[in-house]
Amino acid sequence: DKRIELRIGINLGDVVIDGDDIQGDGVNVAARLESMAEPGGICVSGMVYEGVRDRIDVPFEDLGEQAVKNIVRPVHVWRWLAVDGAASAGPSEATEPYALPDKPSIAVLPFDNMSGDAEQEYFSDGITEDLITELSRFRSLSVIARNSTFSYKGKSRDVRMVATELRARYVVEGSVRRFGDKVRITVQLIDAKKGDHLWAERYDRELSDIFAVQDEIATTISATIVPEIDHAEQVIARRRPPESLSAWECYQRGIWHIHQFTLEAFVAARPLFEKAVRLDPEFAAAHSGLAYALFQEWMYSHPNVRGDQLDRGYDAARRSVAIDDHDANAHFVLGRILGKRGEYHKARAECQKAIDLNPSLPHAYFGLGDALLYLRQFGEALEMLQVAARLSPRDPHHWAFVHHQAVALLGLKRYEEAVDMERRALLSSNASFHPYATMISALGHLGRKKEAQEPIEQLRHLQPGYSCERHKRQFPIFDEFAEHYVDGMRKAGLPEN
């Protein structure tokens, strides 16, 4: 009952010996990594991760580029959470390997009431039930029914045994502690088959409205958990030889490529989605994944060499919606493509439908925010994009959520905030070149031409020959805002042609 839980930070770098002390950037970075780790967990730098990734079979979570105190450049951080004794002990010898559904299966166990008041059971039960409801909105998951998981309430439980009995690959467990008008909720996501902790978080909230708090917690948790599960599934799929891939695994491999945000990655993702469609023509997510890959390939291609990707993506997105009209992600993808086709009101309607189908889907709010940007409703767009960023702070698309906020701020002529927002976007390791463009425009309007030279160099390094004229061609309609955007780039010193 009494133990010390350690945090560990590991870095590779020069160390300066100073008597009985050690100093230097190698030590300083390790100390910062230690402070980022969860109790009982480990954070490592990018250099360490590259050295061990192919030598040990444990999952790491990519936290991206992180700014650390007293270190000039951002540090790429990877996190591994320690496995507790119960999970690492493994199932008994009598336990049979369990078969799993085709889709990732997840069980939400009843949250423990840690308040010391039995009358508060209704609150912890309510959080659990709301989370099950929210996760059930994600059609990519198979969620174990409430009546099954609540059979374990009040019992001592081994996570692996519970997962075996429920045929669940992933298990969510947590606790609720209420004190006065405040509540603390802790949650963790476990890969039950391997016994690995994939994610853990703690939420502290005021209880001015108990039902509003339950809704917020359930929505936030579900939006955070789904990307964690997707990432774990992608890692599994990538380890298998291509000839053994099922439609689901092809889909997950394609999604992994999508999250790299490069033209080459989008091109590599396309045949994987096409194979998934061939293997299962009624797999709606495979069609929407293909549509999204084609859409992004069109987006990242030079305007002079774009082909028919947008039209093909539109057809694939419509097919996905036709197969499953209740798939929120399919409506989101269709909405994004409609926006690039200049059908802004239809784009807004599709993304709103995605939100109606799944209020926990951050991409739906992102798509709606993007449609509102095209309709030049910058204030409303900013609100929707803030919701997307809040729902999924670790999403591979998070840089895009932040970048589009900067575009909205540029439209509102809040230039200083736009610059700061793009700096945040660029901290993500998979951020594209787009944040540099908005930052350059905002700096131009602020009259900080000298400061704009570095982002201009970075932009033209990533996109050789990038100019004001090329940026004009990014806009379907060159209106007053588009002119304002390009004028800022011109003032900053970006070449005209």
Side-chain angles (χ1 to χ4, degrees), residues 137-139 320-331 353-354 357-358:
R137 298 177 186 271
F138 288 87
R139 301 177 74 80
S320 179
V321 170
I323 294 171
D324 189 352
D325 188 51
H326 289 79
D327 187 335
N329 192 66
H331 286 282
K353 184 167 185 178
L357 287 167
N358 185 353

Side-chain angles (χ1 to χ4, degrees), residues 108-114 124 127-128 131 157 171-177 184-190 201 221:
V108 182
L109 297 180
F111 280 29
D112 294 324
N113 172 25
M114 307 294 289
S124 57
I127 291 292
T128 309
L131 181 53
R157 57 210 184 197
V171 173
V172 178
E173 58 181 11
S175 63
V176 179
R177 184 187 301 274
R184 170 169 292 175
I185 300 174
T186 60
V187 195
Q188 56 183 340
L189 175 66
I190 301 168
E201 191 58 88
I221 290 172

Side-chain angles (χ1 to χ4, degrees), residues 152-198:
Y152 296 92
K153 184 174 173 62
K155 300 178 181 178
S156 177
R157 57 210 184 197
D158 177 274
V159 171
R160 284 195 171 188
M161 186 63 69
V162 170
T164 300
E165 294 173 357
L166 295 177
R167 296 181 66 245
R169 172 63 186 265
Y170 303 98
V171 173
V172 178
E173 58 181 11
S175 63
V176 179
R177 184 187 301 274
R178 184 174 178 179
F179 36 98
D181 293 327
K182 296 183 179 180
V183 64
R184 170 169 292 175
I185 300 174
T186 60
V187 195
Q188 56 183 340
L189 175 66
I190 301 168
D191 182 336
K193 192 172 183 180
K194 297 175 64 179
D196 293 337
H197 284 68
L198 299 179

Side-chain angles (χ1 to χ4, degrees), residues 221-232:
I221 290 172
S222 60
T224 307
I225 283 175
V226 169
E228 299 291 336
I229 292 175
D230 286 346
H231 174 72

Side-chain angles (χ1 to χ4, degrees), residues 166-310:
L166 295 177
R167 296 181 66 245
R169 172 63 186 265
Y170 303 98
V171 173
V172 178
E173 58 181 11
S175 63
V176 179
R177 184 187 301 274
R178 184 174 178 179
F179 36 98
D181 293 327
K182 296 183 179 180
V183 64
R184 170 169 292 175
I185 300 174
T186 60
V187 195
Q188 56 183 340
L189 175 66
I190 301 168
D191 182 336
K193 192 172 183 180
K194 297 175 64 179
D196 293 337
H197 284 68
L198 299 179
W199 167 83
E201 191 58 88
R202 183 180 74 191
Y203 301 89
D204 292 322
R205 293 290 188 274
E206 299 286 340
L207 278 179
S208 55
D209 184 334
I210 190 169
F211 296 110
V213 171
Q214 288 184 194
D215 288 344
E216 179 194 358
I217 295 296
T219 301
T220 304
I221 290 172
S222 60
T224 307
I225 283 175
V226 169
E228 299 291 336
I229 292 175
D230 286 346
H231 174 72
E233 289 295 314
Q234 291 155 25
V235 170
I236 293 169
R238 287 173 59 209
R239 289 176 178 170
R240 297 181 184 173
E243 61 272 12
S244 70
L245 292 180
S246 66
W248 174 259
E249 290 166 331
C250 284
Y251 170 77
Q252 289 295 342
R253 284 179 71 115
I255 291 296
W256 181 86
H257 283 291
I258 290 286
H259 291 165
Q260 308 312 303
F261 288 98
T262 65
L263 177 59
E264 294 75 18
F266 298 131
V267 172
R270 180 161 37 86
L272 289 165
F273 291 125
E274 290 170 342
K275 183 177 179 181
V277 168
R278 288 196 304 273
L279 290 170
D280 186 352
E282 298 303 307
F283 185 11
H287 290 277
S288 62
L290 175 59
Y292 198 61
L294 288 164
F295 162 73
Q296 292 286 16
E297 184 181 332
W298 181 86
M299 282 281 292
Y300 275 67
S301 296
H302 192 286
N304 292 340
V305 297
R306 283 173 176 163
D308 62 349
Q309 298 100 323
L310 198 62

Side-chain angles (χ1 to χ4, degrees), residues 97 115 198 235 302 332 348 363:
S115 303
L198 299 179
V235 170
H302 192 286
F332 151 72
R348 179 171 62 180
H363 291 188

